[in-house]
Amino acid sequence: MDKVNFRAAPFLRDRQRTHLPARNPHCSTAFTDIDLDAPGRQLGFLYIPHSPHDDAWGTVPIPMAVLANGAGPTVILEGGNHGDEYEGQIVLGELIRDLALDHIRGRLILMPSLNAPAAQAGLRTSPQDGKNLNRSFPGDHAGTITEQIAAYVSDELFSRGDAFLSLHSGGSSLDIIPSALVQPTNDAAHTQRNLDAALAFGAPFNVLLNNLGDTRTSVATAVAAGLTCVSTEMAGRGTVTDTALALCRAGTLRVLVHWGVLDETYAREPATPPAPLFKVTGSKSYVIATDRGVFEAYHRHGEHVEAGQPAGRIHQIHDPRRAPVELTYGTSGAVFAKRHPGIVVPGNVCCVIATPT
């Protein structure tokens, strides 16, 4: 067998946990056929009891796997938090099947299609309860299916974890530059660990993003629990993009090597020189539709734009007597994301601007 070499995992030292709101995990009815703390390769499901009209004593199965070998960090990986984001789901499935245990030091807990009902339907939100899993954390053990999934991850997985990789794409409604996202924290050292992990991923675009302060995301909850975190956005438009999928494969291996849980021989594809760091600074970074119609964007991804510059216009196709309504940028920077469907209604985000930092 080839000699295996591991990096140190410095983020394990002196980690400070911020306690999440007190809840009683024992009220959970979720169960799994996997022993989360046992060594080896285990493939199975998390089951959430569910009693709809057509299945009185049924369950909702959520695929999961544990790959554990020896002492080392515990890394949690999620894909399919939104069901219409596919690159992460594909890559984590490949790791579950193909990753050699001999090259792992520690434990990987993989949830390749975390929002399984949404993944099976190809939807952002769950057809079970209409909820967005990534706006449901830290969850509720006595809540809906989506809230119970979030509660299980928050209590049973994050409590075991040292680091968290959340693989997202733009989904059906967003076309976004493939990127690694950094969740800022109130602790400079913690933020730096998150930034180092994002740079290790090797995306062509790195962005500081806190979702306008929303704490209901999986990454925000993992950060609050003290985990080192990196998130991604892999293109979008509700399809699989070949270049984004290749980046997702290579970047996932690179960040696992960076965290010391995977042998360095897996980092076969070197990252390009570190990409510039951007930030989404707040509400002015978002160009929001004010009217119903079809949005015409004026600029391409990555183009530099200035505050006050026209961003695009909404064509009133339902009433051709009306002139198009022009929207403007609220801040300067690069076009980071654009809405994918042409039709917009008031409140839809048409563009997102990332500012160099």
Side-chain angles (χ1 to χ4, degrees), residues 154-228:
S154 298
D155 288 345
E156 296 296 336
L157 302 190
F158 289 161
S159 63
R160 290 172 163 85
D162 296 296
F164 178 51
L165 176 60
S166 179
L167 297 172
H168 285 265
S169 303
S172 303
S173 65
L174 203 63
D175 188 5
I176 195 165
I177 296 176
S179 52
L181 308 183
V182 180
Q183 178 83 24
T185 76
N186 293 325
D187 181 324
H190 193 172
T191 299
Q192 186 63 50
R193 292 196 300 272
N194 294 345
L195 176 58
D196 291 342
L199 294 175
F201 190 90
F205 214 75
N206 299 302
V207 182
L208 283 164
L209 179 68
N210 71 349
N211 283 293
L212 296 175
D214 199 328
T215 61
R216 299 171 296 167
T217 68
S218 60
V219 169
T221 303
V223 164
L227 280 70
T228 301

Side-chain angles (χ1 to χ4, degrees), residues 177-328:
I177 296 176
S179 52
L181 308 183
V182 180
Q183 178 83 24
T185 76
N186 293 325
D187 181 324
H190 193 172
T191 299
Q192 186 63 50
R193 292 196 300 272
N194 294 345
L195 176 58
D196 291 342
L199 294 175
F201 190 90
F205 214 75
N206 299 302
V207 182
L208 283 164
L209 179 68
N210 71 349
N211 283 293
L212 296 175
D214 199 328
T215 61
R216 299 171 296 167
T217 68
S218 60
V219 169
T221 303
V223 164
L227 280 70
T228 301
C229 299
V230 61
S231 182
T232 71
E233 293 291 353
M234 297 286 107
R237 295 180 288 119
T239 188
V240 179
T241 303
D242 55 353
T243 53
L245 182 58
L247 171 63
C248 193
R249 286 187 177 115
T252 296
L253 294 178
R254 283 193 290 261
V255 78
L256 292 179
V257 170
H258 169 76
W259 279 333
V261 72
L262 192 61
D263 167 34
E264 290 184 349
T265 60
Y266 272 94
R268 297 186 184 95
E269 298 182 38
T272 56
L277 179 64
F278 291 77
K279 62 181 177 180
V280 175
T281 54
S283 60
K284 291 185 180 296
S285 299
Y286 298 82
V287 177
I288 299 176
T290 57
D291 290 78
R292 181 185 298 272
V294 174
F295 179 67
E296 172 197 0
Y298 289 164
H299 302 97
R300 298 176 181 176
H301 286 95
E303 279 196 64
H304 181 82
V305 297
E306 296 289 338
Q309 183 178 351
R313 55 186 175 175
I314 299 173
H315 295 270
Q316 312 293 315
I317 57 173
H318 57 284
D319 186 354
R321 296 171 300 177
R322 295 179 57 191
V325 175
E326 196 161 64
L327 306 178
T328 59

